[in-house]
Amino acid sequence: MAYSELIKNFNRIRDYMREFYVYGFKSRDEFTKKSARSYDDERRRLESWLGDYMRFRQTSDGKSVFISIDSRVSRHNPLYAAWKTKSFTDGDITLHFIIFDILHDPETTISLNDLTESIDAYLESFQEPKTFDQSTVRKKMQEYVKEGLIIAERKGKTVYYRRTKDSSLPNLDALDFFSEASPCGVIGSYLLDKAEHHEEGYFAFKHHYITGVMDGEILCNVFEAMADKKYITMETINRHKDRISENHVVPLRIMISSQSGRQYLMAYTPRFHRITSFRTDNIVSVRIDDVCDQFDDLRGKLDEMMPHLWGVSTQSRSGQHLEHIEFTVQYAVNETHIYGRLEREKRCGTVIKLDDHSTKFVADVYDASELVPWIRTFICRITHFECSDKALEEQFKSDIRQMYALYGLEGGENN
């Protein structure tokens, strides 16, 4: 079978793009999910979209392939190309242009029967015209109604169709920013494609997290469910065990890490009677279910929890309701930027200036272990560290002692 550039199932492409560009570009021997032929087809497909951004490096293990994007040159996420490649049959293309030519005037309304006859008349001058029965035309119109391109109005027993009126584009600079910085930014990218003239170059990103684009369809369904205050049933994958499980939850909020760009769904799980987080890149599919009568109460509960969330963990490791953590740092008079950094990065914590040389940070959170990687960045300035989770406190101090021993230094026993 010949290689085909076009696709229908985006979820499959989402999976392949992760395998190649997020988790590391796999060689033909390392790719075990499908056959070698599938590997070649998918690799060629992705190269056709991202060839300008692919780089190669020769190593002792062979050729290393990776994606490289210079944000000074590439103002827009190149992974949007995956969303803009779809497959259509000859019939799809033929019907599309004929229907919208017949309905070129937004004021024109037409019944299904008249539309089918108009399509036949449109094609009758061809030597071997394609033919479309009324059932095929009805399904195509239902598809366009769902997409918002066509409006269906019932008058008596007859349904009449008309095209949606063209809308003016929002501010293009706002679209430019939205397309690169927001969840479902691919929507902004689609709208920018419709702009005839747009001067780019206003926005550049020091940290541009581009891989979230692959979760756009998942997020769109989640946002729709949240807007309608409904339950969802979602399939999530455990990549370590290669196992898919089903979860019935109430979606409450999407949270995005400012450090990694990773996106999380905060949701209430009736099965466990608690609010927990799910990585959106581990969500395989989402189905919107019934209305949740307790949605506002659950959202309110999450709002009450937010002042005690450092990241997305809602459960303490020690079994306590909240864990208390604090540390003190010391700095020179000319190092006031340390105090400024604490104020800037404190999130839900409190910064207490003790004197011109020392400052204390205090927080009460659900999971104190989430703070440890950040606290470690102040090592060599920390003079006091304390946590209500004594196992975590001991682990932190043990790591310091081992670091002292590694470098042959004295004083580690006092930490």
Side-chain angles (χ1 to χ4, degrees):
M1 183 177 67
Y3 162 69
S4 172
E5 163 65 20
L6 302 177
I7 61 163
K8 281 186 179 291
N9 186 350
F10 182 78
N11 205 42
R12 182 166 60 90
I13 291 303
R14 179 180 179 234
D15 192 36
Y16 278 119
M17 291 192 79
R18 284 209 183 91
E19 290 291 337
F20 286 118
Y21 291 114
V22 179
Y23 305 133
F25 204 103
K26 290 181 168 57
S27 68
R28 201 175 191 188
D29 294 333
E30 294 172 322
F31 191 79
T32 57
K33 285 191 173 183
K34 296 287 184 178
S35 66
R37 178 63 178 270
S38 295
Y39 170 87
D40 291 335
D41 283 351
E42 300 307 329
R43 180 179 55 80
R44 284 197 297 267
R45 189 195 316 281
L46 299 181
E47 285 179 359
S48 71
W49 300 335
L50 303 171
D52 293 339
Y53 305 96
M54 293 182 66
R55 299 292 181 267
F56 307 89
R57 182 183 296 126
Q58 201 67 34
T59 67
S60 57
D61 296 326
K63 185 170 68 173
S64 173
V65 184
F66 58 95
I67 186 170
S68 176
I69 299 172
D70 187 343
S71 60
R72 296 169 298 177
V73 178
S74 303
R75 297 294 184 181
H76 293 288
N77 191 335
L79 301 185
Y80 286 141
W83 282 97
K84 299 174 183 179
T85 306
K86 296 289 183 181
S87 62
F88 302 95
T89 65
D90 293 342
D92 288 330
I93 292 294
T94 303
L95 272 181
H96 179 83
F97 287 103
I98 292 176
I99 288 172
F100 283 96
D101 192 35
I102 294 172
L103 298 177
H104 67 280
D105 184 354
E107 301 301 325
T108 299
T109 60
I110 192 169
S111 67
L112 181 64
N113 187 57
D114 291 342
L115 178 60
T116 305
E117 291 179 358
S118 298
I119 293 172
D120 290 339
Y122 209 103
L123 295 169
E124 65 182 6
S125 59
F126 290 89
Q127 287 186 346
E128 298 180 0
K130 294 182 72 69
T131 59
F132 300 95
D133 58 33
Q134 197 171 96
S135 175
T136 300
V137 178
R138 180 187 292 109
K139 290 177 181 178
K140 179 57 65 176
M141 297 307 287
Q142 289 173 346
E143 178 184 330
Y144 287 145
V145 169
K146 183 179 179 181
E147 295 292 337
L149 301 175
I150 295 291
I151 296 175
E153 298 173 325
R154 181 176 292 277
K155 297 179 181 179
K157 294 183 179 181
T158 306
V159 177
Y160 290 87
Y161 299 97
R162 60 182 174 88
R163 67 173 294 180
T164 306
K165 292 182 179 179
D166 293 332
S167 301
S168 58
L169 290 175
N171 180 277
L172 297 183
D173 292 334
L175 279 180
D176 201 356
F177 180 78
F178 173 84
S179 66
E180 302 306 312
S182 298
C184 300
V186 65
I187 298 172
S189 181
Y190 272 118
L191 293 174
L192 280 176
D193 290 343
K194 297 181 179 296
E196 295 182 1
H197 303 288
H198 174 48
E199 183 179 350
E200 299 179 355
Y202 290 104
F203 301 106
F205 299 88
K206 181 179 180 181
H207 302 293
H208 195 185
Y209 304 114
I210 65 172
T211 56
V213 63
M214 291 180 286
D215 303 328
E217 186 175 20
I218 297 295
L219 289 177
C220 188
N221 290 331
V222 169
F223 284 136
E224 182 180 347
M226 285 194 288
D228 295 335
K229 301 181 180 180
K230 292 183 175 181
Y231 288 95
I232 63 172
T233 298
M234 61 184 185
E235 291 182 316
T236 58
I237 185 170
N238 184 322
R239 301 190 187 279
H240 297 292
K241 298 180 180 180
D242 196 23
R243 183 180 63 196
I244 293 179
S245 58
E246 191 172 88
N247 297 275
H248 185 63
V249 302
V250 182
L252 300 173
R253 180 167 293 159
I254 295 293
M255 298 180 68
I256 304 175
S257 169
S258 58
Q259 293 177 305
S260 65
R262 183 167 286 158
Q263 300 171 133
Y264 297 86
L265 166 63
M266 304 300 294
Y268 174 75
T269 308
R271 179 182 175 187
F272 300 109
H273 305 288
R274 63 183 176 91
I275 294 174
T276 190
S277 62
F278 299 87
R279 277 175 47 175
T280 59
D281 59 337
N282 286 338
I283 301 175
V284 178
S285 66
V286 169
R287 186 183 73 242
I288 300 175
D289 295 329
D290 299 330
V291 171
C292 174
D293 296 331
Q294 295 81 36
F295 183 89
D296 291 334
D297 293 337
L298 294 171
R299 175 69 70 82
K301 181 180 179 180
L302 177 59
D303 290 340
E304 292 175 0
M305 296 172 67
M306 290 298 293
H308 300 288
L309 290 180
W310 180 262
V312 295
S313 178
T314 58
Q315 299 293 311
S316 70
R317 301 192 318 166
S318 62
Q320 304 173 45
H321 179 60
L322 288 176
E323 295 177 343
H324 180 81
I325 190 167
E326 63 178 62
F327 67 97
T328 302
V329 295
Q330 197 168 40
Y331 45 87
V333 176
N334 62 344
E335 293 181 318
T336 54
H337 63 279
I338 300 299
Y339 175 80
R341 185 185 160 206
L342 284 166
E343 280 286 0
R344 187 174 62 253
E345 300 176 3
K346 65 182 180 181
R347 300 191 193 180
C348 59
T350 301
V351 175
I352 305 170
K353 190 170 184 178
L354 302 178
D355 53 47
D356 292 338
H357 302 283
S358 56
T359 297
K360 178 188 287 188
F361 173 89
V362 179
D364 292 299
V365 294
Y366 285 99
D367 187 355
S369 65
E370 288 190 307
L371 283 80
V372 171
W374 175 69
I375 295 175
R376 282 179 180 149
T377 64
F378 293 95
I379 282 179
C380 298
R381 297 183 184 278
I382 299 174
T383 58
H384 172 76
F385 175 83
E386 184 178 346
C387 182
S388 60
D389 181 351
K390 294 306 176 183
L392 180 66
E393 178 181 331
E394 176 54 32
Q395 181 62 54
F396 183 87
K397 293 180 178 180
S398 174
D399 291 342
I400 299 295
R401 289 193 290 267
Q402 290 181 45
M403 184 183 69
Y404 268 79
L406 181 66
Y407 288 95
L409 301 174
E410 297 180 358
E413 65 280 357
N414 299 321
N415 288 288

